[in-house]
Amino acid sequence: MTTPAVIRPLAAVHLREALTAAANGQGPAAIAALLHIDHDSWTAIEQRTALLGTTVLDLLATAARTGGTP
């Protein structure tokens, strides 16, 4: 059994910043936040979103469409 990839705390902050920026219509800021995520954390984020049946791109699109509200 393999150890699941870990999302580092700073990467989680960057992901939250990206989602907040997308919700506020700030696409370039969302992309900038995503670019700060380290490779291992990015892999873990992709794995976890896949388990939820979605992708980071879908999360960003939903945040942009809804303004961050469910």
Side-chain angles (χ1 to χ4, degrees), residues 17-67:
E17 289 173 347
L19 293 169
T20 299
N24 292 329
Q26 301 168 337
I31 292 169
L34 292 175
L35 290 173
H36 284 91
I37 297 173
D38 64 279
H39 181 288
D40 292 336
S41 294
W42 185 258
T43 299
I45 290 167
E46 287 181 320
Q47 290 172 356
R48 295 199 183 165
T49 55
L51 287 172
L52 295 171
T54 191
T55 65
V56 174
L57 183 56
D58 288 338
L59 294 176
L60 290 168
T62 298
R65 185 178 66 251
T66 66

